[in-house]
Amino acid sequence: AQRVTQPEKLLSVFKGAPVELKCNYSYSGSPELFWYVQYSRQRLQLLLRHISRESIKGFTADLNKGETSFHLKKPFAQEEDSAMYYCALKRGSTLGRLYFGRGTQLTVWP
Amino acid sequence: EAGVTQFPSHSVIEKGQTVTLRCDPISGHDNLYWYRRVMGKEIKFLLHFVKESKQDESGMPNNRFLAERTGGTYSTLKVQPAELEDSGVYFCASSQYGQIDTQYFGPGTRLTVL
């Protein structure tokens, strides 16, 4: 069975500090991993996906198959990064449902 | 381009009543998904349409939930009769049929069952 775990429900950092949101998964096959973000009063939107290997808004995430992790990192957090972040998994690279973690609420203090 | 829209944004009903949620996907998107987030828990998959066909309905909690997508355009999710545990936020997402299956989410419908 597949499962996504985000161990931190809440995470607070000061502006300019590095931030890392943890995501671990369990899945026996080759997953596709995503980070979705929901800013206050906005809809859930895709932040990045591991197959794109790109940096969005200064965030990066590397899929570590050995540790089954897909942690989201940003070297210098900004106040506008405050939001709810969800890690999600899809089985393989085909169409299909997303399996979400419970989310991490990030607050960046000025 | 208009995004995924959902109606209503909020619904408050009493236990035993019926509620119908509507989702309009992005035009041209064949894939439509329903998800639900119950308070304190993760966002969970309910079902997946490809055009008008149910591709995967394994996440539907019980037979009080009925989803339809007549004509392969908008979709409705009916809860009849509603129970207290049905309270939560219901999300709809859509994606194009292709190699990159990016799911675009609607704003959600917040359902409260009293």
Side-chain angles (χ1 to χ4, degrees):
Chain A
Q2 47 288 311
R3 185 181 180 92
V4 177
T5 302
Q6 293 180 250
E8 302 135 334
K9 191 174 178 180
L10 303 170
L11 184 63
S12 294
V13 299
F14 284 101
K15 176 183 173 181
V19 62
E20 180 178 68
L21 292 89
K22 291 184 167 50
C23 172
N24 289 90
Y25 68 90
S26 61
Y27 177 55
S28 57
S30 293
E32 189 170 350
L33 275 296
F34 305 81
W35 277 99
Y36 276 81
V37 60
Q38 188 170 25
Y39 300 102
S40 180
R41 298 188 185 86
Q42 294 187 29
R43 64 186 63 195
L44 202 61
Q45 57 187 281
L46 179 66
L47 181 62
L48 53 79
R49 59 200 301 162
H50 89 270
I51 61 171
S52 300
R53 303 182 68 84
E54 57 190 346
S55 173
I56 304 293
K57 298 185 179 183
F59 284 98
T60 58
D62 291 316
L63 179 61
N64 185 324
K65 292 187 177 180
E67 295 182 359
T68 59
S69 68
F70 188 56
H71 303 328
L72 183 68
K73 300 176 185 178
K74 185 169 182 176
F76 307 103
Q78 304 299 314
E79 289 178 69
E80 56 266 28
D81 296 328
S82 295
M84 190 73 164
Y85 290 80
Y86 293 95
C87 183
L89 174 151
K90 184 152 66 81
R91 295 183 292 195
S93 58
T94 58
L95 298 172
R97 62 194 287 183
L98 293 170
Y99 296 84
F100 284 90
R102 292 197 177 194
T104 297
Q105 177 66 50
L106 173 66
T107 302
V108 181
W109 300 104
Chain B
E1 177 185 274
V4 177
T5 57
Q6 293 186 244
F7 183 83
S9 57
H10 293 84
S11 179
V12 181
I13 60 173
E14 292 189 350
K15 175 182 171 181
Q17 289 187 319
T18 298
V19 63
T20 300
L21 313 181
R22 173 172 169 143
C23 168
D24 286 77
I26 294 172
S27 178
H29 281 193
D30 288 335
N31 295 287
L32 189 149
Y33 302 84
W34 283 99
Y35 294 89
R36 175 174 76 169
R37 183 178 64 211
V38 172
M39 185 174 291
K41 299 198 173 180
E42 67 270 27
I43 299 170
K44 279 196 170 179
F45 167 83
L46 295 177
L47 89 160
H48 170 203
F49 283 100
V50 177
K51 296 186 179 178
E52 66 275 9
S53 300
K54 292 176 184 174
Q55 178 79 6
D56 180 0
E57 53 183 326
S58 61
M60 294 288 263
N62 52 59
N63 59 10
R64 295 186 294 103
F65 288 75
L66 175 65
E68 294 180 325
R69 193 182 182 195
T70 307
T73 54
Y74 71 91
S75 174
T76 58
L77 180 65
K78 181 191 286 189
V79 185
Q80 180 182 30
E83 298 290 343
L84 299 179
E85 64 264 25
D86 301 333
S87 296
V89 181
Y90 290 76
F91 294 101
C92 175
S94 72
S95 71
Q96 283 184 311
Y97 194 89
Q99 282 193 329
I100 304 297
D101 176 35
T102 298
Q103 295 185 26
Y104 296 88
F105 281 76
T109 294
R110 181 173 295 278
L111 174 64
T112 301
V113 183
L114 302 175

